[in-house]
């Protein structure tokens, strides 16, 4: 699994900026006067902005720890021998920072590139921020983090109230800042923050910034699919456009609490639509414009929107996707099931398709450009309670039915703004670009709300990152002088495969902070991201969080502490992560297990739309008293957290969470498919790939045409991103006598870990395993 710690005990690596010697098993520092066992020239390197560290091997007679000369290192703490830290409280990871993780001298940028994955041990590699970066950071040292974190968990009411007071509230919340119950044994699961406080997130994103003098500041730079197609919008202009759409929505009968489904590509109209809904208290549900008509219909049926907002088509790379036709099919299907949507507001995306070519339903379909510009550019704000719903976002579940994750207004507003500010060390002069789509939680929290709440300038990109060539990202970075770049490991790995020359021909000098999201990033990709994209001078905020959490949960704070390639490092303010065993018992110190969170945080989701029982069962029943993330996690000897991936039946493909049951359901809808079982496997580019075991109807021969037909069924019913990477013919599936499919065995076969199959004697038909192995390459 990506992000897993690996150990290479015979390849310990140390590099000193004075001189180095090479041996067949190591590269380590010697003093300039020492006698070398091999005749090699000394090599000197210029010190980069960051510092790599590794453990000094004891067999070379050195101390296991070498004191660092950097002033920032000294500010972390004095270096002392490691000891086993086994405290029984949530500040354990902070206490571990009182003891600097073991390391010895500097590894330069150049050598880090050469060494790659041959370093001694991933959790022993450290990268320190420069003294200059740390001195200017919001959190400039581990000591400052420690003080803030301690207050956030010992006095959450005071900590979050102080931050919330920086926003505009029409009425302040009551004496009780938050109320929670995380234990299903004590009653209904309940999370509330700032209840009774009246606010509006759109007002805080736009009006509040304009009133503070940012009206003429660029809010959005929009970059189209085709190079040269671009636009921009100031905060004043953005507010006017939001108000026009908000007035239209009110005019067609959308009121506070009504749902609006948004099925748009990354046009400026997408964040405009989100903000317009929020302004009038409507609940927006953005659906990624890559989902099929059937998936869109499921979401429409569940949330019953008053309006669907879409566009006629979008061009992604060289391909045109006819979104309006997908919406037409979804509205027809939902109407057949009794859910009728009266208004389909359609934006003409003329770069992809002209009006006259668009299929039209009179009386329901309305062109955006024909009506919106006629409305006033001011719109009264609907003040809402902090616990009133803000949006629904559907995420895949293991039962096959998408889950409608419900986020409310006040806590989400405070949390996303705060995580954005600190995790990216945001400054008012920064230009920020997140490559995510607003159809996912990252686009909600860190394209729209988090940045705009901070008055940031955001780049919104419509196209594909490799179109018209693989240098497009860096062309955009140079064009807009992007200083904070936040993307997914999938993109990093795919660009890494194309070679460094596609990066080095661009300047990228504006970059200051990098970020990773969606899945654990493997250490080799982390190093390439750091060394090649960031020129070894930009810290990486490798964030762990979920649709359900609303914002970052475990993340580096640039400037505060050393980073480790592949580790999300330490928890954000107010977050109390724990690792438990299969019995729900907390494990202390260095360990691996199930990642849970105890106690609530402001950005947490409140329920699943229309199904609170499923909310409690899915997230709070497995380990009573905790929120169960569904992820596996390791904690190393220094208290750093390493995410190891999903432990349930949800596959993370390029940051998209896809339920195995959803894919299986699509496969078995094929008339020639009798049964299917889907598992996730490691994928070089996507993180995880979809591996499908398919049992076909008796008498039907295996064929490539059938394989293609099965894949096409999934593409049509769910979307191209859910298409199986491998169809494995299965005469039968490994099942227990009770009929349960043993997915553990399927995962081992899919991963070719045949020596780890374990005991198969409990299967109803053990011979099935041999048959599957024999068909692995068919």
């Amino acid at each position: 699994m990506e992000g897993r710690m690996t150990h290479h005990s015979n390849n310990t690596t140390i590099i000193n900026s004075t001189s180095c010697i090479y041996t067949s098993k190591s590269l380590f520092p010697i003093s300039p006067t020492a006698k070398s066992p091999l005749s090699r020239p000394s090599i000197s390197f210029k010190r980069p902005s960051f510092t790599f560290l590794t453990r000094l091997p004891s067999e070379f007679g050195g101390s296991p720890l070498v004191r660092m000369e950097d002033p920032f290192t000294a500010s972390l703490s004095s270096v002392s021998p490691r000891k086993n830290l086994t405290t029984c409280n949530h500040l354990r990871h902070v206490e571990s920072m009182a003891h600097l993780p073991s390391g010895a001298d500097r590894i330069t940028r150049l050598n880090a590139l050469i060494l790659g994955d041959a370093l001694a041990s991933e959790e022993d590699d450290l990268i320190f921020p420069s003294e200059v970066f740390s001195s200017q950071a919001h959190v400039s040292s581990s000591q400052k983090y420690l003080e803030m974190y301690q207050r956030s968990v010992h006095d959450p009411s005071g900590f979050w109230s102080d931050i919330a007071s920086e926003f505009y509230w029409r009425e302040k919340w009551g004496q009780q800042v938050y109320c929670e119950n995380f234990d299903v044994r004590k009653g209904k699961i309940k999370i509330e923050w700032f209840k009774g406080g009246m606010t509006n997130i759109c007002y805080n994103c736009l009006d509040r910034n304009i009133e503070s003098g940012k009206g003429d500041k660029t809010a959005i730079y929009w970059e189209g699919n085709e190079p040269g197609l671009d636009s921009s919008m100031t905060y004043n202009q953005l507010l006017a456009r939001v108000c026009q759409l908000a007035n239209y929505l009110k005019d067609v009968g959308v009121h506070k609490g009504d749902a609006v489904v948004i099925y748009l590509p990354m046009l400026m109209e997408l964040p405009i639509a989100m903000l317009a809904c929020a302004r009038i208290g409507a609940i927006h549900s953005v659906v990624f414009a890559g989902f099929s008509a059937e998936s869109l219909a499921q979401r429409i049926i569940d949330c019953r929107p008053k309006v669907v907002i879409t566009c006629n088509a979008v061009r992604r790379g060289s391909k045109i996707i006819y979104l309006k036709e997908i919406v037409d099919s979804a509205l027809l299907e939902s109407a057949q099931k009794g859910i009728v949507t009266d208004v389909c507001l359609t934006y003409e995306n003329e770069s992809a398709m002209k009006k006259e070519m668009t299929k039209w339903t009179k009386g329901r379909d309305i062109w955006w450009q024909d009506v919106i510009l006629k409305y006033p550019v001011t719109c009264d704000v609907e003040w809402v309670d902090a616990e009133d719903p803000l949006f629904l976002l559907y995420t895949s579940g293991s039962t096959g039915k998408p889950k409608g994750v419900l986020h409310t207004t006040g806590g989400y507003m405070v949390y996303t703004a705060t995580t954005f500010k600190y995790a990216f060390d945001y400054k008012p002069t920064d230009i920020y670009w997140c490559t995510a789509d607003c159809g996912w939680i990252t686009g909600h929290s860190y394209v729209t709300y988090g940045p705009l709440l901070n008055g940031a300038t955001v780049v919104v990109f419509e196209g594909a990152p490799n179109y018209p060539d693989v240098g497009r990202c860096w062309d955009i970075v140079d064009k807009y002088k992007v200083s904070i770049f936040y993307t997914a490991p999938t993109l990093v790995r795919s660009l890494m495969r194309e070679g460094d020359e596609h990066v080095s021909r661009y300047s990228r000098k504006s970059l200051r902070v990098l970020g990773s999201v969606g899945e654990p990033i493997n250490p080799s990709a982390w190093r390439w991201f750091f060394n090649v994209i960031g020129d070894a001078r930009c810290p990486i905020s490798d964030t762990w969080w979920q649709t359900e959490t609303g914002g970052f949960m475990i993340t580096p704070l640039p400037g505060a502490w050393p980073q480790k390639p592949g580790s999300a490092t330490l928890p954000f303010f107010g977050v109390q992560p724990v690792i438990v065993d299969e019995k729900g018992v907390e494990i202390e110190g260095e360990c691996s297990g199930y990642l849970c969170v105890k106690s609530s945080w402001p950005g947490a989701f409140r329920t699943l739309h229309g199904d609170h029982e499923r909310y409690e069962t899915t997230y709070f029943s497995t380990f009573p008293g905790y929120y169960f993330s569904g992820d596996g996690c390791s904690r190393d000897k220094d208290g750093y957290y390493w995410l190891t991936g999903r432990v349930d039946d949800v596959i993370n493909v390029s940051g998209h969470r896809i339920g195995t049951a959803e894919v299986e359901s699509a496969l078995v809808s094929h008339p020639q498919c009798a049964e299917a079982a889907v598992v996730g496997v490691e994928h070089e580019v996507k993180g995880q790939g979809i591996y499908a075991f398919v049992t076909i109807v008796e008498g039907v021969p295996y064929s490539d045409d059938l394989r293609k037909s099965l894949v096409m069924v999934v593409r049509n019913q769910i979307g191209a991103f859910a298409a199986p990477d491998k169809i494995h013919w299965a005469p039968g599936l490994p099942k227990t006598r009770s009929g349960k499919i043993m997915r553990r065995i399927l995962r081992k076969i899919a991963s070719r870990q045949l020596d780890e199959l374990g005991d198969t004697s409990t299967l109803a038909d053990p011979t099935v395993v041999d048959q599957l192995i024999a068909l692995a390459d068919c």
Side-chain angles (χ1 to χ4, degrees), residues 665-711:
S665 177
L667 286 169
V668 297
S669 70
H670 191 287
Q672 293 176 318
C673 177
E675 191 173 21
V678 170
V679 297
V681 292
E682 289 186 13
H683 191 285
E684 182 183 2
V685 174
K686 296 188 289 187
Q688 280 190 299
I690 297 176
Y691 196 109
F693 292 86
V694 174
T695 302
I696 58 179
V697 174
E698 189 173 352
V700 175
Y702 301 143
S703 69
D704 285 339
D705 286 342
L706 177 56
R707 181 180 276 115
K708 293 174 183 177
S709 178
L710 287 162
V711 171

Side-chain angles (χ1 to χ4, degrees), residues 266 433-438 440 442-443 447 461 486-487 517:
M266 289 297 283
W433 180 24
C434 172
T435 63
D437 192 288
C438 287
W440 310 105
T442 305
V447 172
F461 178 42
Y486 189 38
T487 193
V517 60

Side-chain angles (χ1 to χ4, degrees), residues 29-325:
I30 58 171
S31 68
T33 58
K35 292 182 179 181
S36 171
L38 298 174
S39 178
R40 301 267 180 163
S42 67
I43 304 171
S44 63
F45 299 100
K46 182 180 178 182
R47 179 188 175 190
S49 301
F50 282 69
T51 305
F52 282 83
L53 299 174
T54 61
R55 192 189 314 171
L56 183 63
S58 58
E59 60 264 34
F60 297 139
S63 165
L65 291 169
V66 176
R67 186 176 300 277
M68 313 313 303
E69 298 175 357
D70 294 50
F72 172 70
T73 305
S75 75
L76 281 173
S77 66
S78 60
V79 181
S80 56
R82 277 189 300 117
K83 63 182 182 181
N84 188 25
L85 299 168
T86 54
T87 62
C88 297
N89 62 66
H90 47 258
L91 294 178
R92 172 184 57 254
H93 68 278
V94 177
E95 293 178 15
S96 75
M97 294 179 68
H99 306 276
L100 188 65
S102 48
D105 229 336
R106 307 182 182 99
I107 295 181
T108 67
R109 178 189 68 81
L110 181 61
N111 284 280
L113 269 176
I114 295 170
L115 295 169
D117 276 334
L119 291 173
S121 173
E122 305 300 359
E123 79 271 26
D124 286 331
D125 301 336
L126 298 178
I127 301 174
F128 282 77
S130 68
E131 183 181 7
V132 173
F133 190 102
S134 293
S135 67
Q136 299 173 354
H138 290 305
V139 181
S140 57
S141 68
S142 60
Q143 182 58 38
K144 183 173 182 181
Y145 166 76
L146 174 61
E147 293 169 359
M148 295 178 71
Y149 184 83
Q150 284 180 324
R151 187 186 178 211
S152 74
V153 296
H154 291 317
D155 178 25
S157 294
F159 180 87
W160 289 111
S161 287
D162 286 351
I163 294 176
S165 296
E166 298 173 8
F167 299 91
Y168 181 81
W169 298 81
R170 190 74 165 187
E171 294 178 22
K172 195 173 179 181
W173 53 91
Q175 277 191 319
Q176 189 176 45
V177 177
Y178 73 101
C179 175
E180 66 178 32
N181 173 39
F182 261 36
D183 196 334
V184 291
R185 297 167 299 190
K186 297 179 180 179
K188 183 179 180 180
I189 297 297
K190 181 180 180 181
I191 302 170
E192 293 179 343
W193 282 83
F194 312 114
K195 188 171 177 61
M198 302 297 290
T199 189
N200 184 282
I201 196 169
C202 175
Y203 183 91
N204 277 282
C205 284
L206 303 180
D207 307 66
R208 173 174 147 268
N209 282 312
I210 292 170
E211 290 165 6
S212 68
K214 298 186 181 75
D216 292 329
K217 180 179 180 178
T218 300
I220 297 175
Y221 284 119
W222 179 76
E223 176 79 4
N225 181 68
E226 298 295 331
L229 183 63
D230 55 37
S231 184
S232 66
M233 195 175 290
T234 65
Y235 272 85
N236 281 326
Q237 293 168 332
L238 180 57
L239 176 60
R241 295 280 298 277
V242 166
C243 286
Q244 287 180 313
L245 179 56
N247 284 321
Y248 169 78
L249 292 175
K250 290 198 297 183
D251 204 27
V252 296
V254 177
H255 301 105
K256 176 183 176 182
D258 289 336
V260 174
V261 164
I262 304 170
Y263 188 73
L264 282 169
M266 289 297 283
L267 304 172
M268 279 198 283
E269 284 67 26
L270 179 44
I272 286 171
M274 296 166 67
L275 290 163
C277 291
R279 191 169 191 85
I280 63 175
I283 305 166
H284 62 71
S285 181
V286 183
V287 180
F288 173 58
F291 273 113
S292 66
E294 185 173 332
S295 294
L296 176 59
Q298 284 181 314
R299 289 150 174 80
I300 290 172
I301 291 167
D302 192 66
C303 72
R304 303 176 178 229
K306 284 283 188 71
V307 174
V308 171
I309 302 176
T310 189
C311 73
N312 52 351
V314 63
R315 190 182 294 271
R316 286 204 184 102
S318 58
K319 182 181 180 182
I320 297 177
I321 302 171
Y322 299 99
L323 298 181
K324 178 61 165 54
E325 293 183 8

Side-chain angles (χ1 to χ4, degrees), residues 21 24 51 68 72 109 114 144 175 258 297 341 368 377 389 398 404 472 478 496 503 562 591 612 635-636 652 756:
I21 64 172
S24 60
T51 305
M68 313 313 303
F72 172 70
R109 178 189 68 81
I114 295 170
K144 183 173 182 181
Q175 277 191 319
D258 289 336
T341 303
W368 176 303
V377 296
S398 58
R472 183 68 186 280
D478 285 354
M496 184 169 66
V503 180
C591 63
H612 196 76
R635 184 171 52 233
D636 68 23
N652 194 326
E756 299 177 19

Side-chain angles (χ1 to χ4, degrees), residues 410-561:
Y412 175 85
M413 174 179 75
V414 172
Y415 196 71
T416 52
T418 307
T419 49
F420 176 84
K421 173 183 175 180
Y422 286 107
F424 295 123
D425 190 47
Y426 169 73
K427 304 294 196 302
T429 54
D430 280 318
I431 305 296
Y432 168 78
W433 180 24
C434 172
T435 63
D437 192 288
C438 287
W440 310 105
I441 186 62
T442 305
H444 284 60
S445 298
Y446 300 112
V447 172
T448 303
Y449 291 118
L452 295 180
L453 286 165
N454 280 277
T457 297
V458 183
V459 174
V460 173
F461 178 42
E462 176 193 29
N466 60 352
Y467 178 82
D469 59 57
V470 293
R472 183 68 186 280
C473 284
W474 322 124
D475 179 63
I476 293 172
V477 166
D478 285 354
K479 178 177 179 178
Y480 296 107
K481 302 295 186 289
V482 172
S483 55
I484 303 174
F485 179 69
Y486 189 38
T487 193
T490 300
L491 179 59
V492 173
R493 287 189 292 266
S494 65
L495 294 175
M496 184 169 66
R497 294 174 66 185
E498 299 293 339
D500 298 358
E501 64 275 9
H502 298 290
V503 180
S504 58
R505 60 183 171 152
Y506 295 94
S507 167
R508 296 161 288 106
K509 295 300 182 185
S510 59
L511 288 174
R512 191 175 70 84
V513 176
L514 303 175
S516 173
V517 60
E519 59 189 291
I521 183 170
N522 52 302
S524 61
W526 194 104
R527 290 191 191 92
W528 186 84
F529 198 26
F530 175 81
N531 289 316
V532 178
I533 303 303
D535 287 329
R537 57 185 173 76
C538 303
I540 298 175
S541 290
D542 179 9
T543 60
W544 175 79
W545 59 300
Q546 299 173 316
T547 302
E548 294 86 348
T549 69
F552 306 146
M553 300 291 280
I554 302 177
T555 177
L557 298 185
W561 58 71

Side-chain angles (χ1 to χ4, degrees), residues 565-587:
S567 171
T569 70
L570 304 169
F572 192 72
F573 304 127
V575 177
Q576 300 179 43
V578 295
I579 297 177
V580 303
D581 62 18
E582 64 276 1
K583 296 180 180 178
V585 177
E586 289 188 32
I587 314 172

